[in-house]
Amino acid sequence: MAENMVLTKKGYEELEQKLEYLKNVRRKEVAEQIKVARSFGDLSENAEYDEARNEQSLLEGQILTIENQLKLATVVDEEDIDLGKVGIGMQVKLLDIEFDEEETYQIYGSVESNPAAGIISNESPVGSALMGKQVGDIVDVEAPGGLVRFKILEITKAEGK
């Protein structure tokens, strides 16, 4: 993971909180699980011990990933958001020209995205096509089902996740 990541201030703070929880709460819980599993005896045939060690390995991987994300993150300053162009932390109302339907997306960095909630990444096909565009622009997006054409109707500051 050598690339720079983009996060909102809120997203950065949420990652910091998650890291704090994993380090100070989950680590202790998993260490206790290992301690209890060790008390069951023979470690070579101890499924509880193996499971606890696997959980510890996954936890340490999560911690390392979040530490790297925080280290590589570029935090978007909400004061610098230009409402004239689509960017991180923006909400965009679009018109699907083919179906004459309106859609609204919030654009965040990949770590903060949640497509099911209408929060897309700036790296997604729609998000990357929209970046830097203005109200009135027509944007073509290459989607798995073919080309989709949108017209940007409105750009506002995202309301949050």
Side-chain angles (χ1 to χ4, degrees):
M1 180 189 289
E3 63 188 64
N4 199 358
M5 302 180 48
V6 181
L7 290 169
T8 60
K9 184 176 179 183
K10 182 179 179 185
Y12 189 89
E13 289 169 355
E14 288 171 354
L15 267 184
E16 283 183 318
Q17 290 171 0
K18 183 175 181 180
L19 180 62
E20 188 75 17
Y21 169 77
L22 293 176
K23 283 181 158 182
N24 297 319
V25 177
R26 283 298 298 149
R27 262 188 181 157
K28 290 176 184 173
E29 292 172 352
V30 171
E32 185 60 29
Q33 288 173 347
I34 290 171
K35 182 179 172 184
V36 169
R38 273 192 180 142
S39 71
F40 295 152
D42 184 7
L43 297 182
S44 65
E45 296 181 19
N46 187 329
E48 290 85 1
Y49 178 76
D50 291 340
E51 182 59 32
R53 292 289 295 175
N54 285 340
E55 190 168 339
Q56 181 183 43
S57 178
L58 291 172
L59 174 64
E60 293 304 323
Q62 280 183 299
I63 289 171
L64 185 60
T65 297
I66 293 172
E67 286 175 339
N68 285 332
Q69 289 172 336
L70 291 171
K71 200 181 312 178
L72 297 172
T74 298
V75 179
V76 175
D77 186 353
E78 292 185 24
E79 301 300 318
D80 294 338
I81 290 178
D82 176 3
L83 292 176
K85 295 182 180 179
V86 177
I88 303 289
M90 308 298 277
Q91 180 167 295
V92 185
K93 184 187 283 186
L94 306 170
L95 174 67
D96 182 324
I97 294 173
E98 181 181 352
F99 295 104
D100 195 33
E101 294 177 349
E102 289 185 8
E103 300 178 25
T104 302
Y105 295 106
Q106 293 181 47
I107 301 180
Y108 287 92
S110 59
V111 173
E112 297 178 86
S113 69
N114 180 357
I119 300 170
I120 61 173
S121 164
N122 63 314
E123 299 171 8
S124 70
V126 173
S128 64
L130 292 173
M131 294 298 289
K133 301 295 192 272
Q134 300 176 358
V135 171
D137 287 353
I138 304 294
V139 179
D140 292 329
V141 178
E142 194 61 49
L147 188 69
V148 180
R149 181 167 275 184
F150 294 108
K151 180 176 182 178
I152 300 175
L153 301 177
E154 182 180 69
I155 303 170
T156 58
K157 192 173 175 182
E159 299 166 7
K161 298 174 282 177

